[in-house]
Amino acid sequence: MGTPDFLSTVELPLGETPIHEWRSVDKQASPTYSPLWLCIYLPQLALEVFNDLPPKAIQPHQKTGLVLVAADGPHVVQDEAHGRPIIHTVSPAAQSAGIAPSMPLAAAYALCPTLEVRKRDPNAETEQLKRLAAWAKQFTPIVSLEPPRALLLEIRGSLRLFGGLPRLQERLSRGLTGFGFCFRIAATPTPLASLLLARNGRPDVIERKQALRSALGQLPTTGLPLSTHLIKRLARAGIRNLHDLWRLPRDGLARRFGLELLHYLDRVSGILIDPRDSHRLPPRFVTELVLVEELTTKAPLVAAAQRLIERLCRYLRSRDMGTTRLELELHHIRQPATRITLGLRRNTRDEVHLLGLLEEHLNRIQLPAAVIKLGLNTQEMQPFTATNQTLFAQQRAFSDPAQRDQDWQCVMDQLRARLGTKHVRGLGICADHRPERSWSYERSTAPPRPATHARRPLWLLAKPQALPLRHGRPWRRGLLLLQSDPERIESGWWDGQDIRRDYYIATDTDGSRLWIFRDLNSNNAWYLHGYFG
Amino acid sequence: MNGELEKLLHNNPSLWRGRDTVASAMTGIKTGFTQLDDILPWGGWPSNALVEVVAPQWGIGELQLLLPAMARLSRQGRWVIWLAPPYLPYVSALIQGGVDLNRTCIVPPENSNEDVQWSMEKTLRTDACCMALAWPGKLANHSIRRLQLAAETGSSLGVIFRHTDASASAAALRVLLSPENGGLKVRILKVRGGHRRDAVHLSL
């Protein structure tokens, strides 16, 4: 057992590996703890982030049990390389039609005319990886993201809790299948080796570092994350798999192909340590207050909520953060808790403001039962930027636009809390000639220019009102008198709501000035559309 | 004799001439109509008070009366808010009038009267708001007094529109609008600091 044995393929079961073997191989590894890195590789992640794919068929896999096959039917995800669209991920059905990654899109369409193409969404992929990382935290605290489509878990410390590696693998598989992912799991003592195995279709478990070289030896150089140029150079030198690479002398390898390649190989085989950062979840603040007696009136509830808010603001101040979203829970006996969510426009940690908004909400809700416990939690916290206050507060705040905007946002928050978010809107203009579509409740970003120089009424009716006819002329409270020449508006043929109208300014007998039109699409009927207020 | 009488009348500060209006410390917001500016004591709309506009129906020019002042105020970087308007304010016409839409907010009229009054009081009280227009429905006198106080605190102009005229009101300025000859007749019912009951005819 004294000499290292790189060519042996015998794998000892876990827990029986003598430690002195490793000491002779690598002097940098810690003698007491040998990590075991498990890699979850998701080959179809770019396709699975889209929610509208047809459901998957389940195909049994011999080693890991059940595994899902990605969506039926030929689906591909397209990406851009050098300005041209190429294929990034293919579903198995598309693969059977002959489409492979890095193929140009036109060639793929030629092979399979009924192809369904989606554009790649890297943000969605990263978000999905982060969510998976949060889920995988239940197995181990050290979870590292390996974008674009892999996760690395360090599980040596968790094996005892989960009852051994096969049981842990089975739990992982069940969870990932439940989410609907196609995956491959491989576990080795180094992260890069696990990644290589998983990526190249070998869901193996290797427990000894010495066995790594022999296990990985048959991997072709095309499976390594090297540039195509380097792979071609290696192929020209007759190096086609890792075995050949490892047989070469180290200094010659470094001189001909670069020190980076040598370091990469050392990290794969475990000679160099490859430390990984663990993914950190966003901070979350949870606090609760158990009440001494049940409360049914609002005033003591507000006082209790004030204590919780003070705790929250102390926490935020100590971390220099502000929050944009809070949730207050009122727990009742034998009933589900009442939840109040508070959304804020600006990042804030002002107790008075938060308490005012909560008070508004509390005044509006009906309590189904007495409250025995209050809970407050927030998850959305961002770094806080404070604005300078003026020393003499009674001076007018006109001169400080930032302070003014902040005050206005506070007032808007209070109005939204009382009236509801949908009842406080802005006004914006849209580029459309049809009057009922030329406005919206959202602010427009572009500087507005009126579409026309003709006079427009200040009041617009939400729906044009039909006007009856008397003696062939439109009538409202009396016969309407047309004051202007007709203005023809014809627009909207592209979405099926085309209008052909002649607009007039008319006066009524009671003195009001109206904006009416004759609809040429519906038999010259007259309608009222606005008032010149 | 006449000259001495004039001197006595003009130079004596303890003599109050009934036809003089009180020169106000606050400056007014120009209305955009010179005849109206002339008869108002502030030289325009008051910059921190409540104005009550009584009109028999909407659509006779009540918004056009306020449009130049609204345009000027929204350009100053403060906000204009519309509370429960009876119809939609048409954005093309607002832009033609020169109002900055990025400083405009609207609260559609699905809320109760108390909510509208409460919102108006809250917005008038802040410095950030320069003008609040409201169509509140029934308003009790004490509510009007509260709105007037809020407008004074926040240096904002509050305008409430009504159909009927209630004789006792705490607003600083009350005007009655009626359509006349293709224009608008503005009659001042009450103005704080004066007792003139003038009327002007504006062509819109």
Side-chain angles (χ1 to χ4, degrees), chain A residues 404 418 425 443 454 460 533, chain B residues 63-64 77 88 96 104 106 115:
Chain A
R404 206 188 309 144
R418 173 142 176 165
R425 317 296 296 265
R443 268 180 240 291
L460 191 75
Chain B
L63 284 188
Q64 287 181 44
L88 292 162
Q96 276 179 349
T104 313
I106 175 168
D115 284 340

Side-chain angles (χ1 to χ4, degrees), chain A residues 418, chain B residues 83 112-124 134 136-140 142-144 146-147:
Chain A
R418 173 142 176 165
Chain B
L83 297 159
S112 71
N113 238 355
E114 289 85 32
D115 284 340
V116 174
Q117 289 170 31
W118 180 88
S119 314
M120 187 165 191
E121 197 184 333
K122 266 271 176 307
T123 44
L124 282 178
K138 270 180 115 48
L139 261 192
H142 63 90
S143 319
I144 302 188
R146 283 181 70 155
L147 291 174

Side-chain angles (χ1 to χ4, degrees), chain B residues 7-8 16 23 50 52 75 93 100 108 116 134 157 174-175 178 193-194 196:
Chain B
K7 221 174 12 170
L8 185 71
W16 175 66
L50 189 70
E52 212 180 297
R75 290 263 160 69
D100 185 4
V116 174
L157 171 65
R174 294 174 65 231
V175 292
S178 46
R196 298 167 78 156

Side-chain angles (χ1 to χ4, degrees), chain A residues 455-466:
Chain A
R455 263 191 90 184
R456 288 282 175 261
L458 274 165
W459 287 129
L460 191 75
L461 295 178
K463 270 186 145 63
Q465 199 182 334

Side-chain angles (χ1 to χ4, degrees), chain A residues 201-229:
Chain A
R202 289 180 47 182
D204 297 332
V205 174
I206 302 175
E207 308 214 357
R208 274 179 44 188
K209 232 189 255 200
Q210 298 88 303
L212 270 178
R213 285 206 175 192
S214 51
L216 290 169
Q218 297 306 315
L219 276 178
T221 47
T222 45
L224 298 176
L226 306 170
S227 64
T228 34
H229 179 66

Side-chain angles (χ1 to χ4, degrees), chain A residues 404-405 408 411 414-415 418 423 425 435 438-439 443 448 452 454-461 510 513 532-533, chain B residues 57 59 61-64 77 79 87-90 93 95-96 103-104 106-108 111 115 118-119 122 126 179:
Chain A
R404 206 188 309 144
D405 281 341
W408 183 253
V411 172
Q414 287 171 335
L415 270 131
R418 173 142 176 165
H423 289 265
R425 317 296 296 265
S438 63
W439 67 275
R443 268 180 240 291
T452 168
R455 263 191 90 184
R456 288 282 175 261
L458 274 165
W459 287 129
L460 191 75
L461 295 178
D510 60 3
R513 282 210 303 292
F532 281 89
Chain B
Q57 70 252 11
E62 70 277 8
L63 284 188
Q64 287 181 44
W79 293 70
Y87 309 108
L88 292 162
Y90 192 26
I95 294 175
Q96 276 179 349
R103 301 267 172 195
T104 313
I106 175 168
V107 172
N111 302 298
D115 284 340
W118 180 88
S119 314
K122 266 271 176 307
T126 58

